[in-house]
Amino acid sequence: MLQKALGDRIRQLRTAQGLSQERFALKIDMDRSYFASVESGRRNISLQNIEKIAQGFNITIAELFTELEDTYDKE
């Protein structure tokens, strides 16, 4: 599922920066529980929030989706 793959990618980037969910959510001005549901793949988020997350990592939206194709189960 694409939502789960994106959540896993976001978690990977966040933990690589040594940030907790709460700290990263505060950094990007997003509710922590909402952000947690994004990471767990339970939320189908808007493009605006995808952009906000990418900016929080100082990467492009395209870079956020990099490597997703390898983990995304298309079936």
Side-chain angles (χ1 to χ4, degrees):
M1 174 161 63
L2 181 58
Q3 288 171 211
K4 177 73 170 120
L6 178 59
D8 290 345
R9 171 72 172 148
I10 291 168
R11 181 180 301 108
Q12 172 192 35
L13 292 168
R14 178 184 57 75
T15 57
Q17 291 188 3
L19 296 171
S20 67
Q21 284 183 342
E22 183 175 9
R23 189 174 217 59
F24 187 75
L26 284 170
K27 178 180 177 179
I28 63 171
D29 193 32
M30 186 178 285
D31 180 77
R32 191 212 51 84
S33 61
Y34 178 90
F35 181 74
S37 68
V38 170
E39 271 198 2
S40 67
R42 293 178 288 142
R43 176 100 36 193
N44 188 9
I45 64 174
S46 68
L47 289 173
Q48 288 86 1
N49 284 333
I50 290 171
E51 179 182 42
K52 190 184 277 194
I53 291 168
Q55 288 173 346
F57 291 126
N58 294 317
I59 61 174
T60 65
I61 292 172
E63 289 170 316
L64 181 61
F65 282 87
T66 298
E67 299 176 21
L68 227 54
E69 190 172 304
D70 295 337
T71 60
Y72 174 54
D73 183 15
K74 298 174 187 168
E75 296 182 28

